[in-house]
Amino acid sequence: MRNGKIKAPAPVIRRLSNYHHLLLGLRQRQVQSVSSTTLAEILEYKPIQVRKDLQLAGLVGRPRTGFRIDEMEEAISRFMGWSLDCQAVLFGVGNLGSALLNYPWREEYGLRFIAAFESEEERSNILINNIPVHHISHFPTFAEEHPIDIGVIAVPAEGAQAVAEIMVENGIRGIWNFSHTHLKITGNATIENALFTQSLAVLTRRLVESRTQNSGTSI
Amino acid sequence: MRNGKIKAPAPVIRRLSNYHHLLLGLRQRQVQSVSSTTLAEILEYKPIQVRKDLQLAGLVGRPRTGFRIDEMEEAISRFMGWSLDCQAVLFGVGNLGSALLNYPWREEYGLRFIAAFESEEERSNILINNIPVHHISHFPTFAEEHPIDIGVIAVPAEGAQAVAEIMVENGIRGIWNFSHTHLKITGNATIENALFTQSLAVLTRRLVESRTQNSGTSI
DNA sequence: TAGATTGTTAATCGATTAACAATC
DNA sequence: TAGATTGTTAATCGATTAACAATC
């Protein structure tokens, strides 16, 4: 295991993805370089933290000018695995699934949906954003014929565990779970849960905290 | 500021929301109590961590039996502010917005969407899951007439900053942002970003890390 | 050059984990 | 009672921050 392949802390990964997204805007404005001070100001981090983060992605800055935008883009993409073309499938073409299929992941993250799968016949055999939606029964055959890096779960909670299992059985190693379930996986797949509810919890708790600082009466 | 109103670390908040969701399933199976050991096993945490988390929410367990399900439900809900009825509005009724409006937030999180707002006329003046969708121009009047705790942003990135601003101008103190933008807010609003891309970054990075542990050749 | 910014090394902070007496 | 589990107190671990010489 060499440089850049160590297990990076999740908070650093999240911040790096923020820097990366900022770069798009900066580049449009023809900016060549940006300092850790400036990045920190925009994102409300500390400059030293920005430098430490970028260092982990293998970046080297220049005294006085900071970091080159194109180098940052390149280094973060490489660090995240976004430089390699990554093929994904999605299960569950409801509103959320459709939203995900319509998002331009490829441009910024190198993620390409090559197919989607649905349990309901009425929603199968259509195209969403030019991505074919098949009936779920066609999945094993499809998986044999195409290399799939990531499987996205956008089905209701009840179906999620079953979907995760057929994904793993058919060789998918990365699962991005948008359903509200704790998945139990046997084998060496990586699961990432995009739990809206965790995010909501942080928001409502912060509101509780701020409320009680003003109105003195508490429990 | 008293017990339970201190600023809780975000990781603890996220785990607490996980415990809370687990309880629903346990209660259906008529379980009365659960130990930190069992919770830890299910969620792949450490028992001591579970106890520390629950302690922060003000819970007291019993030696030998663990924590009562109903007490946990109650304590976590109170801690998160989910016991109070919380009124929300949503901006942007695309696929993602519709998905959010259709989710039963109220049952588990006490969150109730009282209206949604749209900039496109064609998608206004309809009902989604019984929630009225108004044209965005009606928002200021609406906000004067109804108390709103949380504003959800589900519009495309370009429009997000403007939406955040009219929310804050009209008295909303909590913003749940699903758009891919870094919002700049003046004043004392709380913003929580539900950034899918951060989650994707963690997943793809973990895949990069696991890949290179097998195949020895690296950069 | 002067001055802003970097990378390095050390210090601090906070969160997680360990150990164990107390409890039912 | 015996034994599982709690809550407390202390130790460890890791991430963030500070200080500052090196650099362009």
Side-chain angles (χ1 to χ4, degrees):
Chain A
M1 228 169 21
R2 283 251 277 295
N3 176 28
K5 307 302 178 181
I6 34 92
K7 177 159 183 183
V12 178
I13 298 175
R14 293 200 199 94
R15 287 194 299 267
L16 280 169
S17 85
N18 287 356
Y19 306 140
H20 188 267
H21 185 64
L22 263 188
L23 300 183
L24 303 189
L26 292 173
R27 195 153 54 178
Q28 271 191 338
R29 289 162 42 206
Q30 315 285 352
V31 184
Q32 301 280 324
S33 294
V34 66
S35 70
S36 61
T37 324
T38 308
L39 282 174
E41 208 167 303
I42 299 172
L43 292 169
E44 291 159 272
Y45 302 153
K46 297 269 163 72
I48 179 65
Q49 190 173 46
V50 174
R51 269 177 279 151
K52 275 275 151 83
D53 290 344
L54 296 177
Q55 196 165 42
L56 193 75
L59 279 157
V60 177
R62 299 167 197 209
R64 219 170 134 76
T65 52
F67 297 82
R68 281 192 60 93
I69 303 287
D70 51 2
E71 282 178 20
M72 286 180 68
E73 228 273 59
E74 152 90 37
I76 298 177
S77 289
R78 177 189 296 263
F79 184 82
M80 298 295 189
W82 295 341
S83 322
L84 328 136
D85 180 78
C86 177
Q87 302 207 118
V89 297
L90 177 141
F91 277 66
V93 184
N95 275 316
L96 178 60
S98 303
L100 292 170
L101 291 177
N102 278 305
Y103 194 85
W105 302 106
R106 191 175 190 180
E107 295 165 21
E108 198 170 343
Y109 308 100
L111 186 76
R112 197 153 51 84
F113 281 107
I114 56 173
F117 296 88
E118 233 314 308
S119 60
E120 300 207 18
E121 296 280 2
E122 308 99 74
R123 291 194 282 196
S124 307
N125 299 313
I126 57 168
L127 287 178
I128 296 182
N129 190 21
N130 257 313
I131 299 153
V133 181
H134 306 296
H135 188 263
I136 202 169
S137 57
H138 294 75
F139 175 64
T141 324
F142 185 93
E144 269 180 33
E145 292 166 357
H146 304 81
I148 305 170
D149 301 292
I150 289 177
V152 180
I153 302 182
V155 302
E158 311 83 68
Q161 180 63 40
V163 168
E165 281 165 18
I166 63 168
M167 280 180 171
V168 174
E169 278 167 23
N170 287 277
I172 295 184
R173 296 279 310 282
I175 293 179
W176 198 12
N177 176 34
F178 283 83
S179 84
H180 201 184
T181 343
H182 181 78
L183 300 174
K184 286 175 285 291
I185 288 300
T186 52
N188 59 353
T190 301
I191 300 177
E192 170 67 21
N193 297 298
L195 291 181
F196 296 176
T197 52
Q198 289 189 353
S199 173
L200 176 64
V202 174
L203 175 59
T204 56
R205 173 62 197 178
R206 294 286 172 250
L207 291 174
V208 168
E209 286 162 0
S210 68
R211 237 171 254 156
T212 354
Q213 279 175 9
N214 310 334
S215 61
T217 46
S218 64
I219 303 152
Chain B
M1 229 169 21
R2 284 253 275 294
N3 175 29
K5 307 300 179 181
I6 34 93
K7 177 158 183 181
V12 178
I13 298 176
R14 293 198 198 96
R15 288 194 298 267
L16 280 169
S17 85
N18 287 356
Y19 306 141
H20 188 267
H21 186 63
L22 262 188
L23 299 183
L24 303 188
L26 292 172
R27 195 153 55 177
Q28 272 191 337
R29 288 161 43 205
Q30 315 284 352
V31 183
Q32 301 281 324
S33 295
V34 66
S35 70
S36 62
T37 325
T38 308
L39 282 174
E41 208 168 300
I42 298 170
L43 291 169
E44 292 160 273
Y45 301 153
K46 297 269 162 71
I48 179 66
Q49 190 172 45
V50 174
R51 268 177 279 150
K52 277 278 153 83
D53 290 344
L54 296 178
Q55 198 164 42
L56 194 75
L59 279 157
V60 177
R62 298 165 199 213
R64 221 172 131 76
T65 52
F67 297 81
R68 281 191 59 92
I69 304 288
D70 50 3
E71 283 177 19
M72 285 178 69
E73 228 273 59
E74 152 88 35
I76 297 176
S77 288
R78 178 190 296 262
F79 184 82
M80 298 294 190
W82 295 342
S83 323
L84 328 138
D85 180 77
C86 178
Q87 301 207 113
V89 297
L90 179 141
F91 277 66
V93 185
N95 275 316
L96 178 59
S98 303
L100 292 170
L101 292 177
N102 278 303
Y103 193 85
W105 301 107
R106 191 176 189 180
E107 297 165 23
E108 198 170 342
Y109 308 101
L111 186 77
R112 197 154 50 85
F113 281 107
I114 57 173
F117 296 88
E118 232 316 306
S119 61
E120 302 209 13
E121 297 279 3
E122 308 99 72
R123 291 193 282 197
S124 308
N125 299 313
I126 56 168
L127 287 179
I128 296 182
N129 190 23
N130 256 314
I131 299 153
V133 180
H134 305 297
H135 187 262
I136 201 169
S137 57
H138 294 76
F139 174 65
T141 323
F142 186 94
E144 269 180 34
E145 292 166 358
H146 304 80
I148 305 169
D149 302 292
I150 289 176
V152 180
I153 301 181
V155 302
E158 310 83 69
Q161 180 63 39
V163 168
E165 281 164 19
I166 63 167
M167 281 180 170
V168 174
E169 277 166 24
N170 286 277
I172 295 185
R173 297 278 310 279
I175 293 179
W176 198 12
N177 176 34
F178 283 82
S179 85
H180 200 186
T181 342
H182 180 78
L183 300 175
K184 285 175 285 293
I185 289 299
T186 52
N188 60 351
T190 302
I191 299 176
E192 169 68 22
N193 297 299
L195 290 180
F196 297 175
T197 51
Q198 288 189 352
S199 173
L200 176 63
V202 174
L203 175 60
T204 56
R205 174 61 196 178
R206 295 287 172 249
L207 291 173
V208 169
E209 286 162 0
S210 67
R211 235 171 254 154
T212 354
Q213 278 173 11
N214 311 334
S215 62
T217 46
S218 63
I219 303 149

